[in-house]
Amino acid sequence: MELVILVMCSISLMFFLRQFYKVFDQRRDQYCYLVHYECHKPSDDRKINTKFCGNIIARNKNLGHQEYKFLLRVIVNSGIGEETYGPRNIIACRENSPTLQDGILEMEEFFIDTLDQLFLKSGVSPQEIDVLLLNVAMLASVPSLTSLIINRYKMRDDIKSFNLTGMGCSGGLISINLVENIFKSKKNAFAIVVTTESIAPNWYSGNDKSMILTNCLFRSGGCTILLTNKRAFKNRSKLRLKCLVRTHLGASDEAQTCCMQKEDDQGRLGFHLGKNLPKIASQAFARNIASIAAKALPLKELVKYIVLKYVGKSRILNLKAGIDHFCLHPGGTAVIEEIRKSLGLSDYDVEPGLWYVLGYMEAKKRLKKGDKVWMVSFGAGFKCNSCVWEVMWDLYDGNVWGNIIDEYPPKDTTNPYMEQYGWVNQDKLELPDGFELD
């Protein structure tokens, strides 16, 4: 009898260990590793410097005295420097008459530049890709942009492709979340996320102040990202996804309409940014950070925060207890400054925008093995998404920042736009040569 009991106990123990190992083994295959990423730096003939930016404003005959002054003031205070780029139709003075081909050309230049480098540097061929996910909010073509990529790189006929539109600036992290979920049911897979925005067909040439703001904030750029759940690539990967939280306030009418594509009173299509946007963004951010903090911060810090809040003592949640680096949504200096203050961060923490900021940190050799990196993005709808990455080894790739990284942060903080257009702050506006008012 005792022998039977012993045998039964042994079988039960073996079964339990087998099930435990099965769950553990399956979990290891669900990890999401970032193998490599490539940010886009357009060619120098697409660079929009201070003077050219002023010329674009000057040739918009729909602007009146107050609109000129408003737009130039926004640019002066936007934090945009001399190293930004625009699409070719705007360089060629055709922003008022864009074509579908202008938008596709802008996308193709980005695809070719970043994907060629991604495949070359990672050693992974296009035929090895199992999932392709593209996010561009304001351009939809038929066939899809993912089809253009599949055709150019002759990818397999069983590749799973997804083409997302309308997600806004938070679409990159939404795409990564979709890949993360796909990896839970598909082992040993490679996925590519392509995230960008189409500027070429979406320049606003009207005079609605809530819509001309986007001309100041958005420029050409983008990033392609290679992800995998292959165990063999663990030690070759740069980052591992620890957690990702998505917050959507779309059930609220106010949140759903605070930033949206629409036509102005004259029927000109543009992108509206409402005055209530900062309030909605703060609400979404507060809800998101409450969720991500529970996943990313040590228990000791969470308990300390809850206790102090319970006894009525004011305390900012110390994110640095579990986060080493911060990649914040580059929605203008005002947004970044507000986040910096609310989280108690330093100027060092918020120096550079999402994937470009990650590249900046890597080029500065700040990312060390075991460090945690927090990304935060906002998008129309209204959405706030964030995730935490773990650095797998000391990173040092110069990427798009390679030739100019030593120039940042700039020692000379003179604002080139302020030097050129500081006159807009005068009470009596006297326009220089080239600026004409209707």
Side-chain angles (χ1 to χ4, degrees), residues 62-80:
N62 294 316
L63 299 181
H65 180 285
Q66 292 302 318
E67 287 81 21
Y68 273 122
K69 193 172 182 178
F70 172 77
L71 187 53
L72 285 172
R73 275 182 171 167
V74 170
I75 293 176
V76 165
N77 296 300
S78 66
I80 292 176

Side-chain angles (χ1 to χ4, degrees), residues 239-281:
L239 306 169
R240 178 167 70 92
L241 186 62
K242 297 286 290 183
C243 57
L244 191 152
V245 172
R246 292 166 56 182
T247 303
H248 201 313
L249 303 185
S252 161
D253 291 343
E254 185 181 20
Q256 202 270 334
T257 58
C258 69
C259 57
M260 62 186 300
Q261 191 176 25
K262 58 180 285 189
E263 295 173 332
D264 66 12
D265 294 339
Q266 302 299 317
R268 303 185 191 94
L269 187 64
F271 198 83
H272 160 78
L273 299 176
K275 292 182 179 180
N276 59 341
L277 176 57
K279 182 186 76 171
I280 299 300

Side-chain angles (χ1 to χ4, degrees), residues 403-420:
N403 297 328
I404 58 174
I405 191 61
D406 292 335
E407 300 174 17
Y408 291 88
K411 296 178 177 62
D412 181 5
T413 56
T414 301
N415 185 335
Y417 284 84
M418 182 66 76
E419 287 188 328
Q420 186 88 12

